[in-house]
Amino acid sequence: MKYKLLKRKFHSDLWIAIFAVTFGLHAVQNIHHSDSSFYRPKSPSKCVYCYKEDYILMCHIVAQATARTATAVRMLANTSGMSHAKCRSEFYARTNNTVRRFPVPLGKVNWEVPYPEYKPTHYTSEHVLKSPPWADKEDLASAGYNWNDMDNGVNRRSYLGQYKLDDEGHPLNPIGRTGVQGRGCLGRWGPNHAADPIVTKWKRDSQGHQVLGPDDLPILQCVLILRGDCNEWALPGGMVDPGENVSKTLQREFLEEAMDSCSEEEISKIKHFFESEGAEIYKGYVDDPRNTDNSWMETYAMNFHDHDGSVFEKIQLQFGDDAVGVKWKDLTKDLKLYASHSEFIDILLDLHINSKYL
Ligand code: RP5
């Protein structure tokens, strides 16, 4: 607990320091270098603090460094201190509000904090108990799973490091309590690995010119699907199959959920695009509403950016698999998306907009 508070304080102090330096330098320097080409960005931009058209050299450099540091800090924070709220909501997902989670206040999430009254609801869905091919066995004693390791093609390692087991040998959620014991509707005990493709392009008009938003910044668009299980917009991600390479999962899920019934030519174009582009955005724990004390989602999110819009120019998106809708969505900081997907979008915006234009 103390460590968590210290970490939070460290992060807030770091932010204050970064902003103090940024504003301080801006005030002291106030140097206009509109004729300096060396530090000029590729496209003209306004100073984010004084809103003047020409370039303020130090201001821009420091602001850019700030945005980059912010992205790095956010990524660091995300892999270690990911939010854990949707998996503490009142009812467990996909149960029609019939399975109520035992309440877990924020201060009682950490397993190290004593919570003697804690009596989590036991829930594993009927479907999972029937042991379909994508699910583990219920009885761990006879299963002999290889925790924290690769296990016959199933990745039982966590991006967060070694996870612990409870007294009965069930993996323990590395972030903490969720109010539900068992696997809920997740197939694997411990980490359930997914992959999330984040396919982006700049918004353009019918003549192919970039469209600017009200703040004069280019608008980043991303492919989102509407999930059939909860009616929430989400990235077109999915589970990594046993033995499957994550890069294959990223491609497969995108084609299945966002480009159903596309032509062979389109498929090979997308495969080439996925193989030649790609920037890691996030890997780690996901605050998924299906998480329990013993089963949780982890993901690898990768950005594939269509720089000049040529890849998707003639491709029509078409939802498929579990999705019931698909669209190109203009990205903003306040988007509400499934699980932790909005947090991935924040990292993405830092990368494409804040660190380049602000
Ligand atoms: C989320 O669940 C992941 O980020 C990924 O988007 C998704 C995978 O689960 P399914 O879409 O296969 O249900 O936690």
Side-chain angles (χ1 to χ4, degrees):
M1 186 63 184
K2 262 189 197 152
Y3 168 68
K4 274 209 152 182
L5 285 176
L6 269 175
K7 200 170 69 179
R8 222 171 280 159
K9 183 164 164 23
F10 167 72
H11 283 166
S12 62
D13 286 351
L14 190 66
W15 277 107
I16 292 166
I18 288 168
F19 279 103
V21 169
T22 309
F23 280 109
L25 277 174
H26 180 259
V28 172
Q29 295 288 334
N30 202 23
I31 311 166
H32 288 246
H33 281 251
S34 52
D35 53 353
S36 159
S37 56
F38 183 67
Y39 286 108
R40 238 169 206 275
K42 281 179 205 128
S43 50
S45 172
K46 286 178 186 173
C47 167
V48 62
Y49 302 117
C50 65
Y51 295 103
K52 284 178 184 154
E53 287 289 347
D54 54 358
Y55 243 87
I56 295 175
L57 179 65
M58 285 314 291
C59 175
H60 177 71
I61 294 169
V62 178
Q64 206 173 51
T66 306
R68 293 225 161 112
T69 314
T71 306
V73 167
R74 199 194 286 275
M75 287 181 92
L76 188 80
N78 280 350
T79 44
S80 52
M82 185 46 123
S83 62
H84 187 75
K86 295 185 182 175
C87 57
R88 289 186 296 119
S89 61
E90 191 176 356
F91 296 102
Y92 186 82
R94 298 186 185 182
T95 60
N96 253 335
N97 293 355
T98 54
V99 176
R100 193 182 286 270
R101 289 179 186 269
F102 191 90
V104 181
L106 190 58
K108 294 281 194 309
V109 166
N110 194 328
W111 293 110
E112 305 298 317
V113 177
Y115 191 8
E117 310 83 26
Y118 187 55
K119 301 262 175 315
T121 314
H122 192 100
Y123 176 66
T124 300
S125 79
E126 291 286 315
H127 193 36
V128 170
L129 287 174
K130 284 183 190 143
S131 293
W134 46 268
D136 289 340
K137 291 185 185 152
E138 178 66 1
D139 177 23
L140 288 187
S142 63
Y145 293 129
N146 246 350
W147 305 122
N148 287 299
D149 211 341
M150 288 305 290
D151 186 13
N152 289 320
V154 177
N155 185 4
R156 299 194 189 276
R157 289 177 302 202
S158 167
Y159 287 122
L160 280 76
Q162 294 263 323
Y163 50 87
K164 295 181 181 154
L165 305 182
D166 68 13
D167 296 343
E168 284 149 25
H170 304 110
L172 273 181
N173 186 315
I175 303 293
R177 300 181 176 100
T178 66
V180 170
Q181 227 173 31
R183 280 176 291 163
C185 56
L186 293 176
R188 306 277 171 214
W189 292 103
N192 286 250
H193 284 277
D196 285 299
I198 312 181
V199 173
T200 53
K201 67 177 172 76
W202 296 114
K203 188 170 188 169
R204 290 173 194 276
D205 61 20
S206 50
Q207 268 86 53
H209 301 128
Q210 266 193 19
V211 175
L212 298 185
D215 48 9
D216 267 6
L217 291 172
I219 299 170
L220 194 65
Q221 295 185 306
C222 168
V223 175
L224 295 180
I225 54 120
L226 186 61
R227 290 180 65 97
D229 61 346
C230 57
N231 219 33
E232 285 183 75
W233 287 96
L235 294 167
M239 301 293 188
V240 181
D241 288 340
E244 189 178 44
N245 194 302
V246 181
S247 51
K248 173 80 197 313
T249 317
L250 289 161
Q251 242 180 63
R252 178 177 58 72
E253 287 292 336
F254 185 77
L255 289 169
E256 283 175 11
E257 298 200 332
M259 283 188 60
D260 199 37
S261 56
C262 52
S263 67
E264 284 303 318
E265 194 190 327
E266 287 172 333
I267 293 177
S268 65
K269 196 171 189 181
I270 293 301
K271 281 189 173 163
H272 177 73
F273 171 60
F274 270 62
E275 274 147 28
S276 51
E277 296 294 329
E280 183 181 304
I281 293 295
Y282 177 82
K283 60 178 180 205
Y285 185 81
V286 183
D287 182 20
D288 192 290
R290 296 168 292 182
N291 291 354
T292 71
D293 287 359
N294 313 111
S295 295
W296 61 93
M297 292 296 307
E298 297 199 9
T299 199
Y300 186 85
M302 204 154 183
N303 177 215
F304 302 92
H305 185 56
D306 183 6
H307 297 271
D308 58 3
S310 59
V311 178
F312 284 92
E313 205 179 7
K314 295 196 176 81
I315 290 180
Q316 193 69 39
L317 300 177
Q318 171 64 54
F319 63 85
D321 200 23
D322 303 337
V324 293
V326 66
K327 66 178 174 188
W328 283 102
K329 173 78 183 154
D330 294 358
L331 296 181
T332 51
K333 285 259 174 195
D334 50 9
L335 270 190
K336 300 264 179 291
L337 299 177
Y338 180 72
S340 306
H341 295 183
S342 314
E343 297 179 49
F344 307 161
I345 297 300
D346 283 356
I347 299 172
L348 186 82
L349 287 170
D350 278 344
L351 197 77
H352 282 288
I353 308 262
N354 302 358
S355 66
K356 288 192 183 132
Y357 295 92
L358 301 185

